[in-house]
Amino acid sequence: LQKNPPVPHLIESLNEIFENGNGAAAWMLCCIVNSNDDSIRALGIKSLTAYLHAVMSSNQTSTPDPSIHLSSIQGTQKEGATAKLTMTMKYVGTGLGVISQSANALSNLITGRFNIKVVYKLLWHLLKCHREELGDASTAALMYLLVDDGSSASGSLKLSDVLVQKNSFVGGFSLNTECLTSQYSNGPPTLARQNIRNTHGVSTVLRLLRFLSPDKKERWLFDFLALILASPNGVNMILACDDWQPCLFQLVAEVIEEINGDRDDSGNDENAAKEEDAIVGASNYSSPVAVDTEPLSRPSVRTRYDLSLKLYSTLLGHCVRQGDEKAFEAVEMAASLQRVDANGSEVFSIILSHLLADLIEKGTV
């Protein structure tokens, strides 16, 4: 799947085996990505990414047949409507097959596209279910899902190197994951050659961030910030994603809520200690109460606070520098998100102050 030039007739063979492109993607998701083993899950994510990239590339290079007439298209629509119930019963329980067969016949006939949004949505659900098990291999695979460094698989890998005979079973074979790891898991791609594949991958990773552990959030925020600073089209691709602002606003709100929650807990403990001192007759209330900065001084909270606001303000600053209506729409979107969080006004004020700092530093043009 990763070879360039591609293996002849590979995509067509997969689509023929699984009835359509949705069936092949569903098999990769349910049988490989939905695994408790981190290395197998990472292999499934990379396989799915390479397959989707090959399918989308073939769809972009293919052109509609000008000999198709309206009458033939209408006939196809009628035939598809009569066979809808049969195909629904055939693909019941598969989800993707049902949606693909009930899609618009004209769109499927001319473009040959399948439900790529549904595929990424199902991938997000599976990753969210395995969020506690996402290791370094899955993280590297998600980076491969997000960006393309222009590299391709070498032709030196043979099938006999991957499938090795299992002596404990008659006629049995096992998957040599070490060979695959050494061949395809060479670490994250070089920043200078990174190129975001599409907005679907960006949306998948952004919506996954809020369910990850604090250290993984910190790592992904740093990767996104490094990506938009190193890749020329990184900012534009992220801004083209519809839900980048809600995701980042939620991350900033969670960090601020964590800081405020720790301050409230420490304040309650301090008040309880003062009441206890009052009961025993202590009268040490003359000194002013100092502001508690301990939550913000913790490395994890401080790093996530700085990275999330830096990423948000950088993207907003880029929107403002573009001018026109996009600048007003971006700021209005940030202001409207105040209503989705209890501390929304405080979050928006902090974001706005960081936006002004970015505009002062980098200019407004």
Side-chain angles (χ1 to χ4, degrees), residues 24-67:
W27 177 81
M28 294 179 187
L29 286 168
C30 298
C31 299
I32 310 181
V33 177
N34 189 27
S35 173
N36 294 326
D37 186 86
D38 189 60
S39 60
I40 297 179
R41 187 187 311 110
L43 180 63
I45 296 173
K46 290 185 177 181
S47 300
L48 179 66
T49 303
Y51 173 75
L52 294 178
H53 179 71
V55 171
M56 293 177 64
S57 300
S58 62
N59 288 338
Q60 291 177 357
T61 55
S62 61
T63 55
D65 188 359
S67 61

Side-chain angles (χ1 to χ4, degrees), residues 252 256 305 309-310 312-314 316 331 334 345-361:
V252 175
I256 295 177
Y305 179 84
L309 285 172
K310 180 64 176 178
Y312 204 153
S313 61
T314 301
L316 273 181
V331 178
S345 58
E346 179 183 359
V347 175
F348 177 68
S349 300
I350 296 175
I351 293 174
L352 191 60
S353 64
H354 281 73
L355 171 61
L356 295 177
D358 181 83
L359 296 177
I360 293 174
E361 179 184 357

Side-chain angles (χ1 to χ4, degrees), residues 172-242:
F173 292 86
S174 62
L175 184 66
N176 185 10
T177 57
E178 295 181 359
C179 178
L180 291 172
T181 302
S182 61
Q183 180 74 11
Y184 298 115
S185 300
N186 298 323
T190 306
L191 281 175
R193 297 187 300 166
Q194 281 185 349
N195 186 23
I196 295 182
R197 296 182 184 272
N198 52 62
T199 57
H200 301 296
V202 176
S203 178
T204 301
V205 177
L206 284 177
R207 288 186 288 110
L208 182 66
L209 285 184
R210 60 174 300 190
F211 300 100
L212 299 180
S213 59
D215 57 332
K216 293 178 182 178
K217 288 181 183 179
E218 177 182 334
R219 179 175 178 177
W220 274 109
L221 287 172
F222 177 82
D223 290 338
F224 270 112
L225 186 59
L227 179 63
I228 65 175
L229 294 178
S231 178
N233 72 329
V235 177
N236 295 327
M237 289 296 294
I238 295 178
L239 293 179
C241 181
D242 294 332

Side-chain angles (χ1 to χ4, degrees), residues 22 24 43 78 90 156 161-162 167 181 196 228:
N22 288 320
L43 180 63
K78 293 179 181 179
K90 179 179 179 181
S156 60
D161 298 330
V162 181
N167 297 328
T181 302
I196 295 182
I228 65 175

